[in-house]
Amino acid sequence: MLPTLTYLQFHLVFSLPVLALLWYLAPRYEATRQRRAVGGIAILVAIAYAYTTPWISYMIRRGAWGYADGAVVARALSIPLGEYLFFAIQTIVVAFALHRIGFDPTFREGDFDRVPRAAGVLVGLAMVPIGLGLAWLDPSFLYLGGLIAWVGPVLALQWGVGGGYLARTPRLWITATLAPAAYFWVADRIAIGMGTWYLSPELTTGIAVLGLPIEEMLFFVAAGVMTINGLVLFEWVLDWNDRRRAAADAVAGAGSEPERDVRGPESPADPDPDVVDD
């Protein structure tokens, strides 16, 4: 049996090497695109901490999952230090994978269509009562139901803003989500097998794929989707704003052209200058 890794050792073995590799392979953009890419990643990391911390803390305190003795160095709000590091590491790994795959944030006509935006909002909002209902229905749905309810508001907001763009680029965000998720599935399965962390059999469904609980699989997909959508929509909104400002400047420029001097009618020439009126 393999020795149990601490959470920090897990990062040294599984998280940081793939992060370093993706950083090395990340495309080098021109200055403006580079600033926007870095800014988007920084914002998404901050959001990940703000939005994920309360949910993770609640789930740990409820006992949905736990950690092996000696696997955790320090905790804050019941969350291990390694878990806090994972918030940033996963977000950055997904971001680097997205930029390595590549995406076009160009705004196009139709991106503000109401149908995909409204549909996305309705689905996202419906996930909240569905998830909470599952968690209330049976303790074994606590993790699954809590996950669904946690993701719903974010998806509703993202689709409400850029549902038209997301609807026309499904291959992008599906591929960019599943590629890093597949890696984390493997790493998570190894960590569970080694006993670094474990899931409560009473607060999970017990459904697993090759030993990996379905809740963990869905978590990495959900976190990836929220990150991908946030990153692409951040740059898409900036592109839309650039185009809007350029159009406004063009209109303002056309309206402020200096008026040309218009000559009045000239006096008719004297038909015979040598003739003098008496």
Side-chain angles (χ1 to χ4, degrees):
M1 181 177 179
L2 294 175
T4 300
L5 294 177
T6 67
Y7 211 145
L8 296 181
Q9 288 172 334
F10 169 84
H11 285 313
L12 289 174
V13 174
F14 293 103
S15 302
L16 295 180
V18 72
L19 179 61
L21 176 62
L22 289 173
W23 175 82
Y24 176 77
L25 296 175
R28 287 353 182 210
Y29 297 126
E30 47 85 18
T32 299
R33 181 76 191 276
Q34 187 76 14
R35 286 195 300 270
R36 292 183 173 185
V38 173
I41 295 173
I43 291 172
L44 262 293
V45 169
I47 292 174
Y49 278 104
Y51 191 67
T52 306
T53 297
W55 181 71
I56 292 287
S57 178
Y58 173 77
M59 289 302 218
I60 292 175
R61 285 185 283 106
R62 284 291 305 273
W65 62 81
Y67 307 88
D69 293 337
V72 175
V73 175
R75 293 176 185 258
L77 300 175
S78 303
I79 302 175
L81 173 61
E83 197 79 48
Y84 282 113
L85 292 176
F86 199 81
F87 296 170
I89 291 172
Q90 183 186 8
T91 301
I92 298 173
V93 165
V94 171
F96 281 170
L98 168 67
H99 285 285
R100 181 58 186 169
I101 293 171
F103 67 98
D104 180 9
T106 303
F107 172 82
R108 297 181 185 176
E109 293 297 327
D111 282 354
F112 282 143
D113 285 351
R114 293 183 178 180
V115 174
R117 294 169 68 195
V121 170
L122 290 175
V123 171
L125 294 179
M127 292 172 66
V128 177
I130 290 173
L132 294 178
L134 285 173
W136 177 81
L137 181 66
D138 190 278
S140 64
F141 289 121
L142 176 66
Y143 188 173
L144 179 60
L147 177 63
I148 294 172
W150 174 65
V151 175
V154 177
L155 293 185
L157 175 61
Q158 292 175 336
W159 279 80
V161 173
Y165 175 84
L166 296 175
R168 71 173 172 85
T169 57
R171 181 177 299 179
L172 164 67
W173 50 267
I174 291 175
T175 302
T177 296
L178 293 181
Y183 175 80
F184 285 120
W185 289 343
V186 174
D188 189 33
R189 176 64 183 88
I190 295 173
I192 292 175
M194 298 174 67
T196 302
W197 54 76
Y198 57 87
L199 271 66
S200 167
E202 292 80 20
L203 302 177
T204 55
T205 61
I207 302 173
V209 177
L210 300 177
L212 181 62
I214 189 68
E215 291 88 349
E216 289 287 85
M217 297 185 69
L218 293 176
F219 169 80
F220 289 113
V221 171
V225 166
M226 292 190 294
T227 301
I228 295 298
N229 289 353
L231 290 170
V232 298
L233 290 179
F234 174 75
E235 294 198 37
W236 170 81
V237 167
L238 291 178
D239 183 76
W240 167 77
N241 189 58
D242 288 346
R243 294 171 184 274
R244 182 182 62 82
R245 292 179 60 182
D249 290 344
V251 172
S256 61
E257 289 183 359
E259 296 183 1
R260 298 179 180 179
D261 293 334
V262 179
R263 285 180 151 185
E266 296 181 357
S267 301
D270 189 344
D272 191 354
D274 295 329
V275 177
V276 178
D277 293 337
D278 293 336

